[in-house]
Amino acid sequence: MRVQVILPKLGMTMEEATIVRFCRQPGEAFRKGDPLYEIETDKISQEIEATQDGVMVSYSTAEGTDIGVGEPVCLIETDGAPG
């Protein structure tokens, strides 16, 4: 099943973040808890972890891009229901 990963809201005032880097390349497998990408806001810098096992399919945005909470970051392939 393909799942669109969206930018989570990590704080009460967070509205957007910069995608600093992707930790997985397209085609690369990952496990639940592995970092998928790193973000930076005016208050934090944090790696966002996978909520389930899968494979990175593609990026929905580029490194260095600012995106809003709820916007797509990447597309992953999983074996089960969204985690």
Side-chain angles (χ1 to χ4, degrees):
M1 162 187 286
R2 289 194 173 196
V3 177
Q4 191 78 271
V5 176
I6 61 168
L7 180 66
K9 185 168 187 159
L10 300 175
M12 295 287 292
T13 60
M14 182 178 158
E15 294 184 16
E16 68 178 12
T18 302
I19 304 300
V20 176
R21 70 180 178 95
F22 286 96
C23 302
R24 299 288 176 258
Q25 298 297 315
E28 188 176 352
F30 55 83
R31 309 269 309 163
K32 180 179 178 177
D34 287 346
L36 289 181
Y37 59 96
E38 183 180 346
I39 64 165
E40 185 172 278
T41 70
D42 58 343
K43 297 182 180 181
I44 65 163
S45 179
Q46 181 173 340
E47 288 183 336
I48 305 299
E49 297 178 350
T51 59
Q52 56 191 339
D53 297 349
V55 175
M56 178 68 73
V57 175
S58 63
Y59 307 140
S60 302
T61 190
E63 291 179 349
T65 303
D66 294 337
I67 66 169
V69 169
E71 290 186 30
V73 177
C74 57
L75 184 66
I76 62 172
E77 181 80 31
T78 67
D79 287 332

